[in-house]
Amino acid sequence: MKDYIERQAKKLIRKYNTRNPFELAYALNISIKFYDFKKLKGFYTYYKRNRYIGINRNLSKEEQMLCCAHEIGHDQLHRHLTYYMKDYDFFTNIKTEHQANLMAAYILIPDDLLDKYSKHNYTIEQIAAMENLCPDLIKLRFNLGIF
């Protein structure tokens, strides 16, 4: 399944020539709305052939990008289900959440970024800080045993 998710993410990126999840959502005809959620970070729903992503407007821009990429993962992999993303739980045993996280990792982190840092002895936390990315997302891309 990991290889399938990687191929799907790369296919989207190639087809639409962007890694920006908001641009991808627009190209995929997925409506995005921002809400003032108290705890909820985001959700994806598919209803009457319409696709929607809701994102908490109080999240940082980086968290909004991650949330959007994660929800695109649900759209591409689990469209028939409805999801509510309360936390970025990378240690979850829920298979579909792990798959959406993996899709987000492939969308947001290019191979050349991994190549750039693998030649040096940077820690995951250092890479995350330098690239303004979630450390657990980087671990997924480096295949470091998440899930």
Side-chain angles (χ1 to χ4, degrees):
M1 186 66 164
K2 178 188 173 299
D3 292 336
Y4 172 77
I5 294 169
E6 180 179 7
R7 282 193 311 274
Q8 288 304 106
K10 288 181 177 183
K11 183 176 156 185
L12 284 176
I13 293 160
R14 237 184 350 266
K15 183 175 182 178
Y16 298 111
N17 197 32
T18 186
R19 288 184 172 280
N20 182 309
F22 292 101
E23 293 174 9
L24 287 173
Y26 178 79
L28 292 166
N29 201 30
I30 302 171
S31 297
I32 297 177
K33 302 268 189 209
F34 291 89
Y35 298 94
D36 285 317
F37 296 132
K38 298 238 188 266
K39 293 186 180 182
L40 191 68
K41 291 186 179 184
F43 69 87
Y44 170 80
T45 191
Y46 176 71
Y47 181 69
K48 293 186 178 182
R49 294 180 164 182
N50 295 300
R51 295 141 63 194
Y52 304 95
I53 292 175
I55 298 175
N56 188 333
R57 77 178 64 210
N58 300 308
L59 298 175
S60 70
K61 293 295 179 200
E62 293 77 22
E63 286 179 308
Q64 288 179 1
M65 296 280 280
L66 174 55
C67 183
C68 187
H70 174 95
E71 301 305 343
I72 288 171
H74 285 307
D75 173 74
Q76 295 295 296
L77 303 169
H78 321 114
R79 188 172 299 167
H80 62 287
L81 303 171
T82 300
Y83 287 92
Y84 294 90
M85 186 179 177
K86 294 181 182 176
D87 290 308
Y88 306 121
D89 188 357
F90 285 88
F91 298 101
T92 182
N93 287 328
I94 300 170
K95 186 176 177 180
T96 55
E97 290 301 310
H98 172 73
Q99 292 168 348
N101 288 337
L102 190 56
M103 177 70 95
Y106 281 112
I107 289 171
L108 295 171
I109 303 172
D111 292 339
D112 61 344
L113 182 118
L114 298 179
D115 295 339
K116 173 181 160 182
Y117 290 109
S118 66
K119 296 174 186 171
H120 306 286
N121 288 326
Y122 291 110
T123 66
I124 296 297
E125 290 72 23
Q126 288 171 323
I127 297 169
M130 288 185 280
E131 295 296 331
N132 213 12
L133 291 166
C134 172
D136 289 322
L137 205 64
I138 295 169
K139 288 177 187 175
L140 278 175
R141 283 293 274 121
F142 273 119
N143 297 313
L144 293 178
I146 302 298
F147 189 72

